[in-house]
Amino acid sequence: MPPAVTAEAPCPAVTGEGPLPDRSYDVAIVGAGVVGCAIARRLARHPRLSVALIEAQDDVGQGTSKANTAILHTGFDANPGTLEARLVREGYARLVRYAAESGIPVEPVGALLVAWDEEQLAALPRLAEKAAANSCADARQLSRAELYSREPHLGPGALGALHIPGESIICPWSTTLAYATQAVRAGVDLHLNTTVERASWDDGHRLHTSRGPLRARYLVNAAGLGADTLDHRLGYDDFDVTPRRGQLLVFDKLARPLVRHILLPVPTALGKGVLVAPTVYGNVLLGPTAEDLDDKRATGTTAEGIALLRERGRRILPALVEEEVTAAYAGLRAATGQEDYRIAAHPERSYVTVGGIRSTGLTASLAIAGHVTGLLTGTGLDPGPERDLEPVRMPNLGEAFPRPHQDPELIAADPAYGTLVCHCERVSLGEIRDALAGPIPPRGLDGLRRRTRARAGRCQGSYCGAAVRELFERQGRGERA
């Protein structure tokens, strides 16, 4: 059996074109990022509920969720007592278990919070106390000698570090898709390419979308960068979202031996700062920047941003900036000016806002989903009986775990898993075929890349691009890949 989501015809509950179905839902969720998909999955455990998950773009996880640092946070540096601190702590434990059950690659590499001057060094004991208050009692300060013993390629001048063993790296693409797959299989309707243009309330919600009207008794706003816009349309003015751009560089797999841990700076008010981190795909990340902008669509990289990253990277890990860069990308985070999540229930409108979900949203996603379900119940929703969902097994995209092309028994049963299409990332024909025939098939080549890693390697599709496109277009014509 292939180590992936079972190949099957696209579920009829996934739509991306034409008018929306003429029906009313119990709950509508706006935004199919990692948090929106987690909420949909959680509500799908109640078979009596009818749920719609609405996404403006053509795939799940297309916004902030696809362009982050892919770190599974312990929450060691969250502000104790905040909602974020609690949900990150709960979400971390839940996601560790869920990833193991679902085949989502996770590597517990640990993190080093590196002090580069006396002021930062003096802050480490306070950060260790903060970590302990956030249930990370195993955080330990390292001497300069211990630090360089752990990270021999670290740049000169570091004075010490705080070691946080539980920090891990994870595949954010598989996580979001796993949540959405379970939700859809359990009966949630996923409507892609559906932009909410207007919203009104009259004893129920009426969303006026780019694909027609949609009605729901309860509404969850998980729209990420657009959460404040939807909030305003419903008559609330609780917060404003400032898009904070984070540019990142992805270095080739040959750079991977240079770093053993996630290397973090001492945090500032703008965020965790520029870090160096390995990825589960075998690369090394450098970033992100933190640029507050006005444009919620400004996901392009800039010469200034890349230059800043190379300058910071040269200090942290000098040998890294001499390695090949295989990709540069930028994501936008939803900053709200408050160091906590903006999750609130409005019982008078049967409405829950899930705003200001920052870089920790991936880690906290399952806990956020449980919290939001509780808020919906508190506003009057009767979810009815609960059931366990059918487990999902995602295709492994991680380098630390066996890939299909390395499994002789799998290849003997189906030679397509031994036929490489993308040689940089070792992606087989069988994996591409499974992704194209999955419950939520990709609607573009970028979606296929997030499901398989095809075209994500050193050549960025220069070698395999034509073959991958042909397989994608063949599926679109109804032919078998």
Side-chain angles (χ1 to χ4, degrees):
M1 293 292 291
V5 176
T6 305
E8 56 186 71
C11 179
V14 181
T15 73
E17 56 191 20
L20 294 175
D22 183 16
R23 62 171 300 188
S24 180
Y25 294 92
D26 292 314
V27 184
I29 304 160
V30 178
V34 68
V35 170
C37 288
I39 295 168
R41 173 189 174 273
R42 179 62 181 81
L43 292 175
R45 291 168 56 181
H46 300 277
R48 202 167 73 189
L49 292 180
S50 58
V51 179
L53 178 59
I54 307 162
E55 170 56 45
Q57 301 194 64
D58 69 354
D59 199 3
V60 298
Q62 273 276 56
T64 301
S65 301
K66 75 174 182 182
N68 54 41
T69 50
I71 293 175
L72 183 57
H73 294 288
T74 57
F76 77 95
D77 58 348
N79 290 325
T82 60
L83 179 63
E84 181 182 19
R86 176 171 70 81
L87 294 180
V88 170
R89 183 170 60 250
E90 294 176 5
Y92 174 87
R94 293 185 187 185
L95 187 47
V96 166
R97 291 193 299 271
Y98 182 81
E101 295 165 358
S102 305
I104 298 167
V106 172
E107 293 183 51
V109 295
L112 296 173
L113 195 68
V114 180
W116 294 96
D117 58 39
E118 292 293 344
E119 183 180 355
Q120 293 177 5
L121 185 66
L124 295 185
R126 173 178 54 80
L127 290 168
E129 293 174 2
K130 191 176 189 180
N134 285 314
S135 301
C136 296
D138 56 355
R140 183 174 72 87
Q141 191 166 340
L142 304 181
S143 68
R144 182 181 183 280
E146 289 177 297
L147 171 60
Y148 279 97
S149 173
R150 287 176 175 270
E151 289 290 351
H153 298 285
L154 196 67
L159 303 180
L162 185 67
H163 180 218
I164 305 95
E167 294 283 295
S168 305
I169 52 178
I170 189 172
C171 176
W173 303 335
S174 298
T175 305
T176 304
L177 185 60
Y179 294 162
T181 297
Q182 282 191 295
V184 165
R185 283 179 168 173
V188 171
D189 285 355
L190 171 61
H191 299 306
L192 302 168
N193 294 319
T194 306
T195 303
V196 177
E197 299 170 340
R198 290 181 294 122
S200 58
W201 164 266
D202 183 11
D203 197 29
H205 293 277
R206 186 176 181 87
L207 303 180
H208 305 265
T209 81
S210 56
R211 295 178 54 203
L214 184 143
R215 301 181 304 280
R217 293 194 300 127
Y218 292 82
L219 179 64
V220 176
N221 175 2
L225 291 165
D228 59 339
T229 301
L230 181 55
D231 212 44
H232 297 162
R233 286 173 177 165
L234 290 168
Y236 297 97
D237 192 20
D238 292 345
F239 62 92
D240 291 304
V241 168
T242 299
R244 182 169 293 163
R245 181 167 61 190
Q247 301 184 52
L248 298 104
L249 293 177
V250 183
F251 288 85
D252 186 69
K253 290 179 174 60
L254 294 176
R256 180 63 181 85
L258 294 175
V259 61
R260 300 172 182 174
H261 304 75
I262 302 163
L263 302 179
L264 301 170
V266 175
T268 69
L270 282 178
K272 293 179 170 59
V274 173
L275 58 83
V276 173
T279 75
V280 294
Y281 318 117
N283 304 96
V284 178
L285 282 181
L286 172 64
T289 59
E291 311 157 56
D292 286 345
L293 307 173
D294 296 323
D295 187 354
K296 294 181 179 181
R297 299 169 297 177
T299 56
T301 57
T302 66
E304 295 80 8
I306 299 304
L308 172 65
L309 291 178
R310 295 186 69 86
E311 176 190 336
R312 298 285 176 84
R314 187 170 285 108
R315 181 183 189 186
I316 301 167
L317 211 64
L320 179 64
V321 296
E322 305 304 321
E323 297 291 333
E324 293 287 336
V325 173
T326 61
Y329 66 92
L332 298 176
R333 307 189 290 281
T336 64
Q338 176 178 300
E339 296 299 306
D340 202 357
Y341 296 157
R342 297 295 187 98
I343 302 177
H346 301 280
E348 71 283 359
R349 289 283 183 93
S350 303
Y351 169 57
V352 175
T353 306
V354 188
I357 308 302
R358 305 181 301 156
S359 58
T360 55
L362 169 63
T363 301
S365 54
L366 290 174
I368 292 173
H371 181 65
V372 169
T373 300
L375 291 178
L376 286 169
T377 303
T379 65
L381 176 68
D382 179 7
E386 190 171 343
R387 62 180 172 181
D388 291 331
L389 296 179
E390 177 189 351
V392 65
R393 190 73 184 174
M394 302 305 293
N396 169 47
L397 302 184
E399 284 293 293
F401 307 91
R403 301 280 301 285
H405 74 275
Q406 299 170 318
D407 188 335
E409 293 184 6
L410 180 62
I411 295 169
D414 187 343
Y417 292 106
T419 304
L420 293 183
V421 177
C422 173
H423 289 261
C424 293
E425 296 298 296
R426 301 292 191 268
V427 183
S428 68
L429 174 63
E431 293 168 277
I432 293 175
R433 178 198 62 201
D434 290 346
L436 292 172
I440 306 175
R443 292 175 174 265
L445 293 177
D446 284 347
L448 182 59
R449 174 173 56 85
R450 290 192 295 275
R451 286 161 174 79
T452 64
R453 283 175 41 186
R455 299 169 53 252
R458 169 178 279 201
C459 81
Q460 291 290 290
S462 297
Y463 180 79
C464 68
V468 173
R469 179 176 290 276
E470 171 59 25
L471 291 169
F472 179 79
E473 291 177 350
R474 191 185 301 172
Q475 182 74 11
R477 296 192 297 266
E479 303 171 16
R480 184 174 174 80

